[in-house]
Each structure stands twice: as C-alpha cells, then as structure tokens.
Amino acid sequence: MSRNPATSGAPAYDIDAIRADFPILSRTMHDKPLAFLDSAASAQKPRQVIDAVRDVYEREYANVHRGLYQISEAVTARYEGTRETIRQFINAAHTHEIIFTRNGTESINLVAYGFGRHFLDEGDEVIITELEHHANIVPWQMLRDEKGIVLKVAPVSDDGELIMSAFEELLGPKTKLVAVAHMSNVLGTVLPVEEITRKAHAVGAKVLLDGCQSVTHIPVDVQALGCDFYVFSGHKLYGPSGIGVLYGREEVLNAMPPFMGGGDMISSVTFEKTTWAKLPHKFEAGTPAIAQAIGLGAAIDYVNGIGLDAIATHEADLLNYATQKLASIDGLRIIGTAPNKASVVSFMLDFAHPHDVATIIDRAGVAVRAGHHCAQPLMDRMDVPATVRASIGLYNDRSDIDALVAALGDVQELFG
Amino acid sequence: MSDELRELYQEVILEHGKNPRNFHASDAATKEARGNNPLCGDQLVVYLTLDDGGNVADASFLGKGCAISMASASMMTEILKGRSPNEAKSLFDTFHEMCTGEGEGIDLPEDVEKLRVLSGVREFPTRVKCATLPWHTMVAALNDEEEISTE
Ligand SMILES: Cc1ncc(COP(=O)(O)O)c(C=O)c1O
C-alpha cells in the first residue's frame, strides 16, 4: 500500500485509467455525462469485479464446502481465499475472525443478537453517538426493548465532532458495549476510534466500530485499533451488493452463540443434540453469497492495486476542492466541518430544499443523495430537515465537482 | 435547463412554496392528521375545521418539505374550503390521477383548474409522493386517522 506518489516516487494517480475501469462512468444520465457523487450510498464497480463475478458463473460455479468434485473445490478455494484477502485488508490476526454477512446492517444485528442478547442484562449500558446510521441505532433499541438495557448517546459538536469529554462521562462500570461509526456517512467526520476503544476497554466494555464508510477511504488495522468488532459492506467498497463483513476477535466470537441455525454452521446434528461448527462457519448458516464474496475479494485486490493511501490523498484533494467551490456559493451552508473528515460533503441551500436540488441537478447528469441519509437523529441534532450529500469515490475527479457546481447554478436560476 | 424542469418548477409553484397560504396550526380544528414521507423526511400536519353542515369551513397546515409538497399543501388548503368531505375525497382521486400520469389530459373542474400547474410531477416519478402527501394526509384527517406514511 505504498503507491502514494508523494512518498514512493511511484507514478501519479492515473485517474483516466481508473475511470476507464468503471464501465458505468461512460454512460450518460439525461443525455449529460454522468457525474456520480453518491458513492457513500453505494459505489460503482470496476470491470475487474464484474469480470470476477461473471467468471465464477461462467466457469467455476457450484456450492461451496460440499461438493467432492473439481469445480466445487475450486470455487470453495476462491471463496475462502477472499476471507484471507479481507483478513489482510484489515489486518485481523486470524482468517476465521472474518465472518461473511449480507451487509453492514446484518453484521451489526449479528452482534446485537449474538453478543447483546447473550451477554447483556437489564441495566447494562450500550453507548452510541449522535451521528450513527440507523443501522447502528435500531438494533440497540430493539435490544433495549427486549432486555431492558440502557442506551446512551454521546453528543457531537456543531462542527460534527464527537465531544470526547461528554463521551468519557458516559463511560462507567455498567458500560458493556461502545458501538460507534468510524466515519459519519452524513458529515464525513472521522472519529478518533483508537482513543474511543482504549477508553472503552479501560472500563471493561467491548467495542464495535461501524466501518461501512471508512474502509473505502482509510487504511484499517483492527489489531492496532484494538476493537472487538469491525463491520462493513461490500457494495460501498466497489464490490457487489449482498455481501458484508463482520470482523470479531476470536475470543469474543467463540463465546457467542450462533446467529442462525441450519446447514454449514453445524459440526454434527442429531435430533437430540447439535454441535456448532468452528469459526467462521458457526455464524454462516446456509448457502452464502458465493459470487458476491469472490467479487468483494476482487474489489479489495483492485483497491490494493491502487493503494488506499494514494486513494486517500486523491480524495482529500478533491474534498478540499469541492469544499472551496461549494463554500463560495451564496446561501450555501456546509453541514459537518470537523477538521478530520473524509470524502463526504453535506450541504443546505437557504433558497431551495434538498429534494428540489437533487431533482434539478439530476437533469444535469449529477447524482447525489438528498434526504436524511438514514440518520434522522443526526438531522435533528444539526437542526436540518435534510441535506444534499455529495460523496467522493476513488474514480471522481474535478470535472464531477465542476458539474455539481454548475448544476447548482440551475437551482439558483430557478429558486434564487 | 430542461423543459421538464421549467414545467415542474413553474412560477406559481415557486411562489406558493416560498409563501405558503394557510400555513399555521389551528386550535379550532375538528380534524387533524400528520403525514410523513419516511423516504425523504417530509412531514406535515393538516388541520380541518368542519362546520355544522359537515363541510370544510377552514383548512390549514404546518410542516417542512420541498417546494412541491409545500405548494401542493398550500393550494390544497385554498381549494378545500366550502367542500364536503366526499367532494374533497373525490378531488384527491382526480388530483392523484393527474400526478401519476394515469390521467394524462384529465379534465379538472374549472374551480380547481389551477391545480394543473402541479401536473409536471408526472415526469418525475420520485417526486409524485411530494405532491400527493398533503392530500393523503387530508384524507386521513377526514377518516379520523391520526397519521399516515407514504413510501
Ligand atoms: C455508517 C453506515 N453504517 C451502516 C450502513 C448500512 O450499510 P448497509 O445498508 O450496506 O447494510 C451504512 C450505509 O449506508 C452506513 O453509511
């Protein structure tokens, strides 16, 4: 991961070659070149991923872990090989600490079910923050309603930064789990997750980091972070939808009961007694998303080929450019101005509602998201009904930002 | 800019969006309902006051939303006054048909002809709900439902 031109002297970020890898970027939307600025919702796929998925279906498809024939063995090896690719990507200690799920949401629910229901009792406390995605709020509310746990919410500042002192005040002997986003999908804020983890561990709490947004922008080392769980979705990482990841520390995963029962997750079954399979299969009941997992492996290979450091540098430059261009528009207010943020810029126009903005700029070929971004409590905290969100992926360049800014001119023309 | 956009965001809509009519709560209301569009977070409350004869004597609303939903709510409250609940509901059906495009070239009664400015949403499937949310909410109020959601 040292293709950062600033440090290694490797070739500069070849944005044209990268864009050429993404077939969809050459299409138009409403007869305009597509300016895709919605990667935080779901990212586009490079040809390498599309080819990997097609290759599985065309040459090597069978069920995994079952067949005693060549194709099944080959596809099983590729599927399990992806687990190793992911282990390296987030530097987990063991391959069996990587659990495949459908998406980040399912990963969090798995923890709420397997860890929360099993180890938390009435009065135990779970801490989240004000900037969480609904996926990291609702499972804990369901647990609260079922088990009587207490859900505490650490506040963020007007800039969208976690207020560390307030977070620390919430920590106590009853804190059993701290579940926070590594990076906000609305504000772009990157949270100090290493410090959060250290402080949570100091009171004996476990830590879940929601990495759905961060894994595409920030190199992650789960051992250095020290977290107990790390979750993300494949589809935001340039991989297929339908595949997600739960990393859990071996010791914690071993203590947890299975999530779902069925095939693949057992060691032996009689009507009297069933014994669970070992990790990771204990948590993977039924036929998995085989081609999707392999596609995710190809996506990670693709990202590694460019280098996350180089990607982060490219995106930071673009975020800077976007922030400056947007900030110079009269009546535009950026929501989320934390010093440490990545690849997402949310904003409001004082003369037009976010939905009207999205509709108008769609006609100029610009794809953004407008709404509450599955973070309604954060919208309330920032006192906005909705925002327009432009998010940057590894394939975006200044032309995308310029298209956005020009399209906002159309909004001004109609509403201004 | 495309013609469809200009068609959608006509002056009248922008003007109603900026200065919505009957934009207030009502203590005297005999019926009220809350409307939510969970997809985009639009919310509004519609207040109706029925007179002794059961007709709408007053209509107002409060809420936050895009220009389309604000304009639609604003024009709706203007149009409802003096109508019976049945008339109001059948107007909703006509309006809905117009917005979804099933009623291409639909005849609107002369006194509600001005609603036609909202027919531009037909070209914007994701925005039809914005135009119809106030109307769904109004019908919910008449049916004594407290809350409705569109999706
Ligand atoms: C921070 C965060 N957490 C969780 C999720 C849920 O991801 P998925 O819908 O892939 O399960 C998202 C996706 O929007 C997200 O941005």
Side-chain angles (χ1 to χ4, degrees), chain A residues 327-350:
Chain A
S328 67
I329 295 174
D330 265 349
L332 186 145
R333 181 160 69 94
I334 290 177
I335 313 294
T337 47
N340 192 6
K341 66 180 272 190
S343 301
V344 167
V345 53
S346 262
F347 60 90
M348 298 272 298
L349 295 174
D350 64 11

Side-chain angles (χ1 to χ4, degrees), chain A residues 40-42 102-108 131-136 181-186 210-214 231-236 242-244 369 373-374 389:
Chain A
S42 200
R102 277 188 307 145
N103 48 40
T105 301
E106 184 174 295
S107 300
I108 296 172
L131 56 66
E132 301 308 317
H133 187 281
H134 293 166
N136 196 31
H182 190 169
M183 172 181 160
S184 162
N185 65 314
V186 180
D210 173 357
C212 285
Q213 292 297 329
S214 42
V231 310
F232 60 95
S233 295
H235 67 95
K236 295 182 202 273
I243 185 77
R369 183 150 173 208
H373 316 292
C374 297
R389 178 188 71 186

Side-chain angles (χ1 to χ4, degrees), chain B:
Chain B
M1 202 183 315
S2 73
D3 289 346
E4 285 107 357
L5 274 180
R6 293 194 189 278
E7 175 78 23
L8 178 64
Y9 291 106
Q10 297 181 37
E11 264 319 304
V12 184
I13 290 184
L14 296 175
E15 203 277 318
H16 271 272
K18 269 186 211 146
N19 305 301
R21 321 293 193 270
N22 305 308
F23 190 68
H24 56 79
S26 164
D27 288 339
T30 50
K31 309 241 174 210
E32 72 177 71
R34 171 178 294 276
N36 296 309
N37 183 339
L39 211 64
C40 58
D42 283 3
Q43 290 186 342
L44 84 170
V45 182
V46 170
Y47 305 89
L48 302 173
T49 311
L50 301 192
D51 61 23
D52 295 341
N55 291 335
V56 178
D58 196 20
S60 65
F61 79 105
L62 264 187
K64 41 190 183 182
C66 61
I68 309 293
S69 64
M70 290 294 104
S72 177
S74 171
M75 297 172 89
M76 177 187 81
T77 54
E78 283 190 322
I79 274 170
L80 286 178
K81 283 173 205 172
R83 295 186 192 270
S84 72
N86 278 342
E87 279 176 317
K89 287 180 193 172
S90 93
L91 255 185
F92 164 71
D93 293 337
T94 310
F95 180 75
H96 195 271
E97 272 178 49
M98 178 189 85
C99 290
T100 53
E102 287 156 32
E104 183 96 57
I106 196 167
D107 272 339
L108 290 174
E110 204 171 324
D111 54 347
V112 298
E113 178 59 35
K114 63 178 175 179
L115 290 176
R116 197 181 294 283
V117 294
L118 284 158
S119 66
V121 294
R122 205 187 283 141
E123 302 297 330
F124 297 82
T126 58
R127 304 305 301 279
V128 169
K129 291 278 157 50
C130 306
T132 57
L133 178 65
W135 290 80
H136 280 288
T137 311
M138 177 272 290
V139 171
L142 288 174
N143 291 339
D144 294 318
E145 294 161 32
E146 276 172 23
E147 185 151 3
I148 60 120
S149 272
T150 62
E151 226 156 303

